[in-house]
Amino acid sequence: MSDKPIRRIGIIGTGVIGASWTALYLAKGLKVVATDVAPNAEAALRKFVEKAWPALERLGLSPGASQSNLWFTPALAQAVANADLIQENGPERIDFKQKLYGELDQMLSPDVIVASSSSGLTMSEIQKGAASHPERCVIAHPFNPPHLIPLVEIVGGAKTSEETIRRAAEFYTSIGQKTVRLNKEMPGHVANRLQGALAREVYYLVAEGVVSAADVDTALSWGPGLRWGIMGNMMLNHLGGGPGGIEHFFQQFTGPMTAWWKTLGSPVLSPEVQKKLIDSVHAEVGSRTIADLEAERDEVLLGLLELRKKAQQAAAPHTVAAE
Amino acid sequence: MSDKPIRRIGIIGTGVIGASWTALYLAKGLKVVATDVAPNAEAALRKFVEKAWPALERLGLSPGASQSNLWFTPALAQAVANADLIQENGPERIDFKQKLYGELDQMLSPDVIVASSSSGLTMSEIQKGAASHPERCVIAHPFNPPHLIPLVEIVGGAKTSEETIRRAAEFYTSIGQKTVRLNKEMPGHVANRLQGALAREVYYLVAEGVVSAADVDTALSWGPGLRWGIMGNMMLNHLGGGPGGIEHFFQQFTGPMTAWWKTLGSPVLSPEVQKKLIDSVHAEVGSRTIADLEAERDEVLLGLLELRKKAQQAAAPHTVAAE
């Protein structure tokens, strides 16, 4: 494999994830050729990108960034020709993906990375479809929507090469995303597992009538959640230990924490439980529209991303300046 | 019970939590009389308040706010005389608290609220010490440190009156805190349970070697964590369902989410596992000091709190203006 620069991205599948990737890549000054078989896919994609553009401008466009660097074709072979990296966002069905990876295996030069956004399938299974070059196939799972949320989870399958993982991590880092490396394939990777672990207890407490949806949301978003967009759990534990750091944290909190673990809930999402949760959410939402709430969420999110960027520059001015 | 305004707070115990409550109350223009039996307690308390003051100024002082509204006495009876509300932050031992609540029961006029910061004990147990007036005793559990994090979890014991719960909720809300009401006593209340549920999976993934501490922290703080300081899980699920809202969310995600639940870990925090976690945190921290990391955390936190305040004012200008 070469280390040739990644300048042109082939996007397969332009649903919510593929469209958001497209917007991000264009904002980073890359060229994008997208493909999708759905009727009206091109118009929907261009509309998504246009709508996302003001936020991307606010976060900072790279030199050469332009919506006019987007091409669309319904023909797969045309979309992937001359691409340096493929971002694949096809349906989450193993038979579909294996067939697709077989076709890509024939079409692409061996130094082209095939990165899958799959959240539910493993690369070890998917790459079985790629007879000649499974080594260049890797999971690069975003957290939706990737044009706003920087996380990319990178994990190879049994036949993925270390070089592919390294090149993929370097590429996503170079455009400002934050990559994590999974050393083992795990259902849900990392972020969805963390989200699932938290949601399970949230649903339990609402289902049991301990708190309303509004109150559990207050507890999270005005409590521990305030810090989880600033630092991760492990670093916060280190600070939670005071001058004694993480060692003191475990000395002090292992007892109560493991006692609480024993009482965490395992709710079953039966239709009745779902109805209770849904009713409680509607009581919380009241007359506010989804569009209003989305706008509020994204406005604060953009502000938080700006704060994080500033904090990083303050902490390591030379590193960030050199990026 | 009267609805007389709460202007003077008695603080029992001036460790980390009691000192932070003290700083908050002073910033809100209240008068505080604090007591603690530890040697040097007064000097440590005044130093804490002085150090916290710039952040409190930035968040906005209330009319009359002053560090000179703080009095200290080692004598319990003197500290609680004429207080309108007691914030109790004593040691987390049931025998100690029951004895203390017995003494307070004798000393206080019946319309004084006794609010405990306890995270590990239930009010039903604690208030057994208060023979005459258990009804005015309530848990008002902050999320540390209360002068920066607005959450207060309110939960009564078997003998707590509804009026006490209402008055306590109104009081904390009136000084800008965000209260949640628990309808049942639960170990760890809500926020610590949510934190525990998340930490359990974090420790599992690091202990199993799936990711490093640095990577799991990236996954949280550049992924789902970015939103948890903006909105809670239930509201985010509502938006995650697209135009179909929370109903569509459950239709779409119940399958994969419950499948992930089955694979979540139950780590045992043995000395070996703790060592692995601790070593991984030190690799993440590198040469950065705890003071530097705390400063970074709190700088972004203050910025985020300002963003949230602005978003609330934009969403409901009249409500917030009337606060």
Side-chain angles (χ1 to χ4, degrees), chain A residues 51 288-298, chain B residues 238-239 242:
Chain A
K51 208 179 146 200
R288 291 176 289 175
T289 66
I290 286 180
D292 285 348
L293 291 163
E294 279 176 346
E296 184 185 331
R297 178 194 64 191
D298 293 343
Chain B
H238 182 53
L239 301 184

PDB file of all heavy atoms in Angstrom, chain A residues 51 288-298, chain B residues 238-239 242:
ATOM      1  N   LYS A  51     -27.995  22.702   3.792  1.00  0.00           N
ATOM      2  CA  LYS A  51     -28.517  23.019   5.122  1.00  0.00           C
ATOM      3  C   LYS A  51     -27.422  22.928   6.194  1.00  0.00           C
ATOM      4  O   LYS A  51     -27.418  23.669   7.179  1.00  0.00           O
ATOM      5  CB  LYS A  51     -29.661  22.035   5.450  1.00  0.00           C
ATOM      6  CG  LYS A  51     -30.696  22.614   6.403  1.00  0.00           C
ATOM      7  CD  LYS A  51     -31.815  21.621   6.686  1.00  0.00           C
ATOM      8  CE  LYS A  51     -32.294  21.798   8.110  1.00  0.00           C
ATOM      9  NZ  LYS A  51     -33.003  20.645   8.648  1.00  0.00           N
ATOM     10  N   ARG A 288     -43.212  22.173  22.430  1.00  0.00           N
ATOM     11  CA  ARG A 288     -42.015  22.497  21.647  1.00  0.00           C
ATOM     12  C   ARG A 288     -41.885  21.568  20.432  1.00  0.00           C
ATOM     13  O   ARG A 288     -42.082  20.361  20.549  1.00  0.00           O
ATOM     14  CB  ARG A 288     -40.763  22.398  22.535  1.00  0.00           C
ATOM     15  CG  ARG A 288     -40.717  23.491  23.590  1.00  0.00           C
ATOM     16  CD  ARG A 288     -39.530  23.330  24.517  1.00  0.00           C
ATOM     17  NE  ARG A 288     -39.689  22.193  25.413  1.00  0.00           N
ATOM     18  CZ  ARG A 288     -38.747  21.784  26.260  1.00  0.00           C
ATOM     19  NH1 ARG A 288     -37.590  22.406  26.297  1.00  0.00           N
ATOM     20  NH2 ARG A 288     -38.977  20.759  27.060  1.00  0.00           N
ATOM     21  N   THR A 289     -41.546  22.114  19.277  1.00  0.00           N
ATOM     22  CA  THR A 289     -41.424  21.289  18.075  1.00  0.00           C
ATOM     23  C   THR A 289     -40.039  20.649  18.012  1.00  0.00           C
ATOM     24  O   THR A 289     -39.078  21.128  18.618  1.00  0.00           O
ATOM     25  CB  THR A 289     -41.596  22.128  16.792  1.00  0.00           C
ATOM     26  OG1 THR A 289     -40.495  23.047  16.707  1.00  0.00           O
ATOM     27  CG2 THR A 289     -42.904  22.901  16.810  1.00  0.00           C
ATOM     28  N   ILE A 290     -39.956  19.564  17.231  1.00  0.00           N
ATOM     29  CA  ILE A 290     -38.667  18.895  17.038  1.00  0.00           C
ATOM     30  C   ILE A 290     -37.667  19.860  16.415  1.00  0.00           C
ATOM     31  O   ILE A 290     -36.491  19.896  16.806  1.00  0.00           O
ATOM     32  CB  ILE A 290     -38.869  17.608  16.209  1.00  0.00           C
ATOM     33  CG1 ILE A 290     -39.523  16.538  17.110  1.00  0.00           C
ATOM     34  CG2 ILE A 290     -37.545  17.102  15.629  1.00  0.00           C
ATOM     35  CD1 ILE A 290     -39.792  15.209  16.463  1.00  0.00           C
ATOM     36  N   ALA A 291     -38.125  20.688  15.471  1.00  0.00           N
ATOM     37  CA  ALA A 291     -37.207  21.644  14.822  1.00  0.00           C
ATOM     38  C   ALA A 291     -36.637  22.638  15.837  1.00  0.00           C
ATOM     39  O   ALA A 291     -35.439  22.942  15.819  1.00  0.00           O
ATOM     40  CB  ALA A 291     -37.934  22.383  13.702  1.00  0.00           C
ATOM     41  N   ASP A 292     -37.493  23.130  16.741  1.00  0.00           N
ATOM     42  CA  ASP A 292     -37.012  24.072  17.770  1.00  0.00           C
ATOM     43  C   ASP A 292     -35.981  23.412  18.680  1.00  0.00           C
ATOM     44  O   ASP A 292     -34.950  24.005  19.018  1.00  0.00           O
ATOM     45  CB  ASP A 292     -38.177  24.543  18.662  1.00  0.00           C
ATOM     46  CG  ASP A 292     -39.072  25.551  17.946  1.00  0.00           C
ATOM     47  OD1 ASP A 292     -38.661  26.046  16.868  1.00  0.00           O
ATOM     48  OD2 ASP A 292     -40.165  25.832  18.459  1.00  0.00           O
ATOM     49  N   LEU A 293     -36.289  22.188  19.090  1.00  0.00           N
ATOM     50  CA  LEU A 293     -35.391  21.483  20.003  1.00  0.00           C
ATOM     51  C   LEU A 293     -34.064  21.146  19.327  1.00  0.00           C
ATOM     52  O   LEU A 293     -32.996  21.263  19.929  1.00  0.00           O
ATOM     53  CB  LEU A 293     -36.072  20.212  20.517  1.00  0.00           C
ATOM     54  CG  LEU A 293     -37.261  20.466  21.456  1.00  0.00           C
ATOM     55  CD1 LEU A 293     -38.129  19.224  21.582  1.00  0.00           C
ATOM     56  CD2 LEU A 293     -36.756  20.904  22.831  1.00  0.00           C
ATOM     57  N   GLU A 294     -34.138  20.750  18.068  1.00  0.00           N
ATOM     58  CA  GLU A 294     -32.905  20.480  17.306  1.00  0.00           C
ATOM     59  C   GLU A 294     -32.053  21.729  17.206  1.00  0.00           C
ATOM     60  O   GLU A 294     -30.823  21.678  17.361  1.00  0.00           O
ATOM     61  CB  GLU A 294     -33.243  19.999  15.889  1.00  0.00           C
ATOM     62  CG  GLU A 294     -33.611  18.538  15.804  1.00  0.00           C
ATOM     63  CD  GLU A 294     -34.020  18.136  14.388  1.00  0.00           C
ATOM     64  OE1 GLU A 294     -34.270  19.030  13.539  1.00  0.00           O
ATOM     65  OE2 GLU A 294     -34.114  16.927  14.136  1.00  0.00           O
ATOM     66  N   ALA A 295     -32.703  22.845  16.942  1.00  0.00           N
ATOM     67  CA  ALA A 295     -31.957  24.105  16.805  1.00  0.00           C
ATOM     68  C   ALA A 295     -31.274  24.454  18.123  1.00  0.00           C
ATOM     69  O   ALA A 295     -30.109  24.873  18.139  1.00  0.00           O
ATOM     70  CB  ALA A 295     -32.902  25.222  16.363  1.00  0.00           C
ATOM     71  N   GLU A 296     -31.986  24.243  19.245  1.00  0.00           N
ATOM     72  CA  GLU A 296     -31.394  24.528  20.555  1.00  0.00           C
ATOM     73  C   GLU A 296     -30.200  23.606  20.820  1.00  0.00           C
ATOM     74  O   GLU A 296     -29.135  24.043  21.252  1.00  0.00           O
ATOM     75  CB  GLU A 296     -32.466  24.348  21.642  1.00  0.00           C
ATOM     76  CG  GLU A 296     -31.971  24.715  23.041  1.00  0.00           C
ATOM     77  CD  GLU A 296     -33.021  24.418  24.117  1.00  0.00           C
ATOM     78  OE1 GLU A 296     -34.229  24.461  23.823  1.00  0.00           O
ATOM     79  OE2 GLU A 296     -32.603  24.131  25.261  1.00  0.00           O
ATOM     80  N   ARG A 297     -30.412  22.319  20.547  1.00  0.00           N
ATOM     81  CA  ARG A 297     -29.330  21.344  20.751  1.00  0.00           C
ATOM     82  C   ARG A 297     -28.089  21.715  19.938  1.00  0.00           C
ATOM     83  O   ARG A 297     -26.974  21.761  20.456  1.00  0.00           O
ATOM     84  CB  ARG A 297     -29.819  19.941  20.332  1.00  0.00           C
ATOM     85  CG  ARG A 297     -28.776  18.850  20.452  1.00  0.00           C
ATOM     86  CD  ARG A 297     -29.214  17.588  19.704  1.00  0.00           C
ATOM     87  NE  ARG A 297     -29.325  17.862  18.258  1.00  0.00           N
ATOM     88  CZ  ARG A 297     -29.874  17.037  17.382  1.00  0.00           C
ATOM     89  NH1 ARG A 297     -30.394  15.892  17.764  1.00  0.00           N
ATOM     90  NH2 ARG A 297     -29.931  17.356  16.087  1.00  0.00           N
ATOM     91  N   ASP A 298     -28.285  22.022  18.661  1.00  0.00           N
ATOM     92  CA  ASP A 298     -27.131  22.250  17.785  1.00  0.00           C
ATOM     93  C   ASP A 298     -26.446  23.584  18.058  1.00  0.00           C
ATOM     94  O   ASP A 298     -25.237  23.708  17.891  1.00  0.00           O
ATOM     95  CB  ASP A 298     -27.550  22.100  16.322  1.00  0.00           C
ATOM     96  CG  ASP A 298     -27.939  20.655  16.006  1.00  0.00           C
ATOM     97  OD1 ASP A 298     -27.584  19.766  16.802  1.00  0.00           O
ATOM     98  OD2 ASP A 298     -28.615  20.423  14.992  1.00  0.00           O
TER      99      ASP A 298
ATOM    100  N   HIS B 238     -35.832  11.430  21.619  1.00  0.00           N
ATOM    101  CA  HIS B 238     -36.950  12.039  20.883  1.00  0.00           C
ATOM    102  C   HIS B 238     -36.433  12.669  19.586  1.00  0.00           C
ATOM    103  O   HIS B 238     -37.031  12.496  18.512  1.00  0.00           O
ATOM    104  CB  HIS B 238     -37.605  13.095  21.777  1.00  0.00           C
ATOM    105  CG  HIS B 238     -38.803  13.767  21.179  1.00  0.00           C
ATOM    106  ND1 HIS B 238     -39.886  13.084  20.670  1.00  0.00           N
ATOM    107  CD2 HIS B 238     -39.091  15.095  21.013  1.00  0.00           C
ATOM    108  CE1 HIS B 238     -40.788  13.951  20.214  1.00  0.00           C
ATOM    109  NE2 HIS B 238     -40.326  15.170  20.407  1.00  0.00           N
ATOM    110  N   LEU B 239     -35.303  13.368  19.648  1.00  0.00           N
ATOM    111  CA  LEU B 239     -34.729  13.979  18.445  1.00  0.00           C
ATOM    112  C   LEU B 239     -34.043  12.932  17.564  1.00  0.00           C
ATOM    113  O   LEU B 239     -34.001  13.075  16.339  1.00  0.00           O
ATOM    114  CB  LEU B 239     -33.735  15.078  18.834  1.00  0.00           C
ATOM    115  CG  LEU B 239     -34.332  16.213  19.684  1.00  0.00           C
ATOM    116  CD1 LEU B 239     -33.294  17.294  19.933  1.00  0.00           C
ATOM    117  CD2 LEU B 239     -35.566  16.804  19.011  1.00  0.00           C
ATOM    118  N   GLY B 242     -35.901  11.369  14.544  1.00  0.00           N
ATOM    119  CA  GLY B 242     -36.246  12.163  13.360  1.00  0.00           C
ATOM    120  C   GLY B 242     -37.643  12.731  13.485  1.00  0.00           C
ATOM    121  O   GLY B 242     -38.137  12.923  14.604  1.00  0.00           O
TER     122      GLY B 242
END
